[in-house]
Amino acid sequence: MLAFSNDYYGMIFRATQSVELFCAYFGTGELPEDMLIHIIRDNFDLSPTGIIKMLDLRQPIYKQVSAYGHFGRLDLDLPWERLDKVEDLKKYKNDTEKGTD
């Protein structure tokens, strides 16, 4: 949603969902790419608010990730390293193998 007020400085921009989602696994995937996009949209809130909540971005964790990197850190409980969606996502592969969708 893009709205303009009469005041030039009153411009408001609010995206409720990601505009575009692109997936490419260059022939190495086990599911069709369009199905993967559908699965991602069904299981992850990709709106700005959803990303902030999912990754807990309002918490002051940045000092501890400012050194030694912020990916693959087993010594910290970082939201983007959690595997809490694995079981939810596995059901799609199982459904495809069974021939259901």
Side-chain angles (χ1 to χ4, degrees), residues 15-82:
T16 57
Q17 281 296 324
S18 63
V19 176
E20 184 175 341
L21 179 60
F22 177 77
C23 247
Y25 28 48
F26 307 101
T28 62
E30 295 181 21
L31 300 173
E33 291 175 4
D34 59 335
M35 183 180 205
L36 185 58
I37 290 172
H38 175 75
I39 292 168
I40 291 169
R41 289 197 185 277
D42 280 355
N43 288 278
F44 299 93
D45 181 358
L46 299 178
S47 68
T49 302
I51 293 169
I52 290 167
K53 287 179 183 177
M54 181 174 42
L55 298 178
D56 208 12
L57 296 179
R58 299 229 188 260
Q59 297 301 315
I61 61 173
Y62 302 104
K63 185 175 182 181
Q64 62 194 67
V65 297
S66 63
Y68 308 111
H70 56 277
F71 291 109
R73 299 278 304 269
L74 302 178
D75 57 324
L76 303 173
D77 180 31
L78 300 171
W80 49 85
E81 296 288 347
R82 292 184 190 136

